[in-house]
Amino acid sequence: MKTPRRFLTASVTVLTLFAALACVPFALQAQNNNLADFFDQKKAAATEAGVKTEINVSLLPQDAKAGDTVTLSIAVILPEGAYTYSTNPTFGGATRFKIEDAKGLTAIDQHFNADHPPKTVFEPLFMKEVEKYSKHVIWSRRYKVNQDVTSPSQVIINGEMDYQVCNADRCVALQHPFSAMLTGKQKTAPLSLTVVPERRSKPDPVELSFALTPASSNPEKLVQLKITMKLDKSFHTFALDQDKTQAGLPTHIELFKLEGLKPVSKQFSVNPEPTQETHGEYDQRTHYDEVTWTRDFERLPDAKAIGVEGKLKYQICNEGSCRPPLPVEFQLGSLTNAQPVAMSSLEELKSSDSDDDLIIASTGDNQSLASYLFFAFLGGLILNVMPCVLPVVAIKVMSFVQQAGESRTRIFALNIFYSLGVLTVFLGLASLAVFAGLGWGGLFQSTKFNIIMACIVYAMGLSMLGVFEIPVPGMVGSAASGQQKEGLTGAFLTGILATLLATPCSGPFLGPVLAWSVMQTPGITYLVWLVMGLGMASPYIIFSVFPKAINYLPKPGMWMVRFKEFSGIVLMGAVIFIISFLDESLTIPVLIMLLGITTGLWMIGSLYTHNSSIQKKMTVRVAALALTAGIGLFGYSMSQKSTNDLPWVPFNVAELKKLRTENKTVLIDFSAEWCLTCKTNEKFALNTPETLEMIKKHNVVPMYADYTDYSPTIKEWLDKFQSVSIPLTVIFPANRPNEPIIIRDLYTQSTLLNALQEAVDAPPAEKSAKREMVSTTAH
């Protein structure tokens, strides 16, 4: 049997791409003179990933002389939600310090020491406990100035810090070269200063004053840092505790260094207090005209001078627009011997979360490259039997049986293309690890990727359970049923799918190997991941080299049908596993999407046969696609969180009575989490911009009566309105509190808005029969 020309062309194309990818690590490794550019790119990737750090390096005291002790401090300030690792050498991704040159200094401490213990947590990815720092950490090491030093300029230290910064999405490996020296000079600044910040050489409508003054409460021992902002009349700024989600960024004050001072208060106080304002649907805390932030510090007993270095970042707005946030750095007093501060409060620094847990010993760092490659290959091989991959491997087992008796050339091509699919994904993941800091399993941290994979695996499961046949040669139905021969494209795609499913699994040996690989040069990283891919593809490469081994597999028969059906059940379990990664609020929307897929694929598999006319096939397919798309879009719409939720308050009989006596219009939504019609009403009628606007305009109080778990009180009120089911919406007009407007079952937004308008326009209560408005119901 001859291999078709198009398959030969595809083979050449894929092999060419594979060769090009394989050359990437060697090209990168050859560019040793451009390593600085490479790490600049890494830092840029870190910034884009939201893991940018701030690092302050100091060598203090600056006026040290021969025989004195100096401290090299490296303060790392991490963004919100980010973390870095400790210097524990038993972990491959640990922070490392390399001192390249230390002129005029002799080390006193053997290692760098952190200012507080790390938090020890079990990391499933590495299958071991790791030590993490969040928010901030200061590493320091003491040195003694050599006796032969006659001038401060003779003391200089150069080094490099290798570290990782991670957040919920990714980890980025970075390097930070540092240098520090003694100047022997007093670094001082005035104790007060006034500045007018500028944007593009134009002054901001703001004047800032910074001052260190004796505190009025105890001027002998306490010092007060006072920051005053004066704004033009048309502008305002935001409070320190402004909610970022309310269309305004909070003012942020951060201290970098302190000399001779210790914080007394944990936070800045403010005068005057911010104004609470409502602009449309946003609640904001703002300052106008002039505002002053103050914080008290205690003078240290042995302090020769005092000083502070920090930064104020603010945003200003007027009625027409808002300007981007602007940082303004400031220095006050002496900073010669200022100590780094990782946060705006030293007390917070000392009270950081920490656990003194047992450190698990490991000899990983003493292993050679060859040993890491061996364990990478072994770890890749074991991936074939991990729960994430096993269902797809079942597909290949059935395809092996199908291949029995075929030509050696075809068996070789099929297995090579499957292996190329595996290696393509591994090289792609290596590229993500090198250039984007996205580690093993990082794809499954993406909600969109999880939803797409759940849909694909679910469709494969339906095919294995006999709902329909995937018409692509080599895919699930074809490989199992024997109706079609496996194609090169199918083999390649199956290899890709199997590897993608493997990414949330981390079998034995992989954790330490992967952590070590991302800390190496790009060439080594690519090599390790390529070998891991070869390990996963090795069984299929063996079958391609020794095709007669297929003859030892069982012959085709009814067992294949049963095995196919069982594999479909396993794939459904894999869908549950993938959905478990998602936020709970997405579970129902995704299940609705899967219901749409089930409906469409059932129509394709059951409503026509192979002998049906083309017209009938196309009609069913178009109808199936439309129905699947409609149900899927409905599920997607449910997954979108509304930004127009009404300001719901929990249903309370006493509160309802109070509101009615105060002549407040009250809207009560009787609902439950298990009520789909209720959620439809909330999505399309209640939690909408139009309803929210009317609620705010007329001061209507929305109450939420949650009937998810049985409530005797809510049942009693449902009985009052003669309702045996939900949803039920009741509106008590302010002027007719005893004549509620009732809307039952499914309704439209216009129905609700008309009822609300009737309630707020209602005349004073009259002795008339209670009126009830009932919408058209849909059962």
Side-chain angles (χ1 to χ4, degrees), residues 467-630:
V467 175
F468 81 111
E469 286 288 333
I470 297 180
V472 179
M475 295 305 284
V476 183
S478 311
S481 66
Q483 294 178 1
Q484 291 177 303
K485 294 183 178 180
E486 183 172 20
L488 299 183
T489 303
F492 182 76
L493 294 177
T494 307
I496 289 178
L497 180 64
T499 313
L500 289 176
L501 284 173
T503 57
C505 292
S506 181
F509 312 115
L510 281 188
V513 171
L514 292 172
W516 176 84
S517 71
V518 298
M519 295 295 294
Q520 309 308 310
T521 62
I524 297 298
T525 302
Y526 272 100
L527 180 62
V528 170
W529 288 64
L530 179 61
V531 170
M532 185 163 52
L534 288 172
M536 185 173 179
S538 58
Y540 314 103
I541 296 176
I542 291 174
F543 274 108
S544 67
V545 177
F546 303 102
K548 291 185 178 180
I550 297 176
N551 296 329
Y552 293 98
L553 294 174
K555 300 299 180 183
M558 183 55 67
W559 73 270
M560 289 184 63
V561 177
R562 300 291 174 253
F563 187 67
K564 175 174 75 81
E565 295 169 347
F566 175 75
S567 298
I569 296 174
V570 175
L571 283 177
M572 294 304 172
V575 173
I576 297 174
F577 176 65
I578 296 173
I579 293 178
S580 68
F581 299 155
L582 302 175
D583 186 270
E584 290 184 1
S585 63
L586 295 174
T587 301
I588 297 300
V590 171
L591 290 179
I592 293 175
M593 294 180 191
L594 297 183
L595 175 63
I597 292 174
T598 305
T599 305
L601 294 182
W602 172 81
M603 292 174 65
I604 292 174
S606 303
L607 299 187
Y608 65 81
T609 65
H610 293 289
N611 298 324
S612 299
S613 64
I614 295 296
Q615 182 179 1
K616 182 177 182 180
K617 289 181 179 179
M618 292 305 299
T619 302
V620 172
R621 290 170 183 172
V622 171
L625 179 61
L627 189 58
T628 300

Side-chain angles (χ1 to χ4, degrees), residues 612-767:
S612 299
S613 64
I614 295 296
Q615 182 179 1
K616 182 177 182 180
K617 289 181 179 179
M618 292 305 299
T619 302
V620 172
R621 290 170 183 172
V622 171
L625 179 61
L627 189 58
T628 300
I631 298 175
L633 288 174
F634 176 74
Y636 175 79
S637 66
M638 290 190 64
S639 70
Q640 303 304 297
K641 296 182 179 180
S642 174
T643 58
N644 303 292
D645 286 357
L646 302 186
W648 297 104
V649 296
F651 176 76
N652 181 281
V653 176
E655 182 66 17
L656 175 60
K657 183 177 181 180
K658 177 184 175 184
L659 292 170
R660 292 170 67 189
T661 58
E662 294 175 351
N663 291 326
K664 296 277 190 179
T665 300
V666 182
L667 180 151
I668 307 176
D669 178 31
F670 291 87
S671 180
E673 291 298 321
W674 40 260
C675 174
L676 184 60
T677 307
C678 302
K679 295 305 174 186
T680 302
N681 285 343
E682 292 168 10
K683 177 75 175 178
F684 297 104
L686 287 161
N687 293 322
T688 65
E690 294 79 8
T691 305
L692 179 61
E693 182 180 359
M694 179 169 283
I695 288 287
K696 290 186 175 181
K697 180 179 179 180
H698 298 286
N699 295 319
V700 178
V701 179
M703 302 189 79
Y704 187 79
D706 190 353
Y707 201 44
T708 301
D709 299 320
Y710 178 79
S711 169
T713 303
I714 294 178
K715 178 65 168 61
E716 180 182 346
W717 278 78
L718 289 173
D719 292 340
K720 285 184 180 182
F721 296 115
Q722 302 176 1
S723 180
V724 296
S725 63
I726 54 174
L728 175 71
T729 300
V730 179
I731 304 173
F732 289 93
N735 293 328
R736 287 205 321 266
N738 296 323
E739 298 183 21
I741 300 172
I742 302 173
I743 313 177
R744 303 183 190 277
D745 301 324
L746 187 68
Y747 54 83
T748 63
Q749 179 180 268
S750 61
T751 299
L752 177 65
L753 292 178
N754 290 336
L756 283 171
Q757 192 65 51
E758 179 184 350
V760 297
D761 291 343
E766 300 175 356
K767 294 182 179 179

